[in-house]
Amino acid sequence: MAVLLARLCRGARGLRAARPTLAAAPPPRALARTGPPRPLSFSVAELVRAAPVPVRPYLRLMRLHQPAGTWLLYLPCTWSIGLAAEPGCLPDWYMLSLFGAGAILMRGAGCTINDMWDQDYDKKVARTASRPLAAGDISTFQSFVFLGGQLSLALCVLLCLNYYSIVLGAASLSLVITYPLMKRVTYWPQLVLGLAFNWGALLGWSAIKGSCEWSVCLPLYLAGVMWTLVYDTIYAHQDKRDDILIGVKSTALQFNEDTKQWLSGFSAAMLLGLCMAGMNCNQTFPYYSAVVAVGAHLAHQIYTLDIDKPEDCWKKFTSNRTVGILLFVGIMLGNLWKRQDSEKEEEPLENRRSR
């Protein structure tokens, strides 16, 4: 009996000694956590990753996971719509929404056409080898059917506009189709891209006013083309080594070490075009302040650009969304400022009548 009691006492002491160790041991779930909890986030890229597997290649084909290009297509439309607004009024939000939908569809259609033309080239470039057509995730026929669907929806958007704008919008399709071929025949494919990407600078005004006021629309359009030459030359520097190997041309290869000088010239031409457009539609102080801010942003981009670092080129390229938004905000505030100016002009007349 004494022996049994001694064993029980030793067991109780062992349990008491083990208890702190058991309490200190983390639960099984805690062991599985290797780092801090992942913050909740939402982005278009996350949406594409969460899409059903059969749908994902089509969303990637239209670059829905990389919205920077859609913004760069959409923003010239917003400038034009904003400049066409009546003094003291905000831009037409219905038109902004309509053009936003059109930008998503037409950018998707343009990327689909580009990948159909370039699928053999894309297989040879590290950055583009994972694109759906180059990787074999979808066939050329499936891409063609998908392209037809995007263009059909884009046509529905276009048909919501006036007849002048329908004809003007349809005229841009030739640029969309031929742009991917330009890199095979000229070192200036970025110029053709600029002509296509900034068509909204013409279309936005005509959608509001019924036709283009060329004294405003043409300088605005040319400013947009110069802007595209800036950001897409920066973009092209990412692939310049691969482009040399496969025989593709670009302004990045044309300018080479003189890139910053060329970009500075394009930026100056852009700012001149914006000033001309603003003067021809009686823009006010906030607009010109935004133009100065745009110039400062472009100067910083060019000064800090490292053309031999692809990651820096991508960062500078995507930052151009800020450039476009700055100008759009300036246009809106400039239009609201016009109302103040008109009220100041009318005040003396009212005073005379009261006398």
Side-chain angles (χ1 to χ4, degrees), residues 73-216:
L73 177 62
Y74 176 56
L75 284 164
C77 307
T78 68
W79 303 344
S80 190
I81 292 169
L83 288 173
E86 293 297 322
C89 297
L90 291 170
D92 188 321
W93 294 106
Y94 170 72
M95 282 296 174
L96 289 173
S97 303
L98 205 62
F99 274 73
I104 293 170
L105 291 166
M106 285 307 298
R107 196 260 177 144
C111 290
T112 303
I113 293 169
N114 182 80
D115 286 8
M116 289 172 70
W117 283 118
D118 286 355
Q119 55 183 304
D120 292 332
Y121 285 128
D122 287 345
K123 293 174 185 177
K124 302 173 184 177
V125 178
R127 188 179 60 82
T128 60
S130 61
R131 287 177 176 174
L133 266 170
D137 295 335
I138 52 177
S139 67
T140 303
F141 177 74
Q142 288 172 316
S143 301
F144 187 78
V145 172
F146 183 55
L147 173 63
Q150 291 175 92
L151 290 176
S152 298
L153 291 173
L155 178 61
C156 293
V157 173
L158 187 62
L159 292 175
C160 296
L161 307 180
N162 55 61
Y163 290 121
Y164 183 99
S165 299
I166 291 171
V167 174
L168 184 63
S172 69
L173 194 58
S174 60
L175 290 169
V176 175
I177 294 171
T178 57
Y179 157 68
L181 297 174
M182 293 297 106
K183 65 187 77 172
R184 295 163 170 80
V185 298
T186 177
Y187 280 98
W188 291 83
Q190 281 70 28
L191 176 60
V192 181
L193 179 68
L195 296 173
F197 246 53
N198 293 279
W199 205 259
L202 307 176
L203 196 57
W205 184 283
S206 71
I208 300 294
K209 298 290 192 180
S211 63
C212 284
E213 175 58 58
W214 293 108
S215 64
V216 177

Side-chain angles (χ1 to χ4, degrees), residues 280-351:
N280 291 333
C281 64
N282 301 316
Q283 269 297 336
T284 54
F285 176 74
Y287 173 83
Y288 295 106
S289 299
V291 172
V292 171
V294 165
H297 195 291
L298 291 172
H300 179 264
Q301 275 189 61
I302 296 167
Y303 181 74
T304 60
L305 173 66
D306 188 339
I307 60 174
D308 295 320
K309 287 187 178 179
E311 61 275 12
D312 188 56
C313 293
W314 175 255
K315 181 181 177 181
K316 297 297 192 299
F317 167 75
T318 56
S319 73
N320 278 278
R321 180 179 68 171
T322 304
V323 171
I325 292 173
L326 277 173
L327 184 59
F328 178 58
V329 171
I331 290 169
M332 287 196 298
L333 295 177
N335 264 3
L336 296 176
W337 192 283
K338 284 182 185 179
R339 186 174 184 178
Q340 293 181 3
D341 289 349
S342 63
E343 286 174 354
K344 287 178 183 177
E345 290 174 3
E346 290 172 6
E347 188 177 355
L349 293 174
E350 292 174 359
N351 291 340

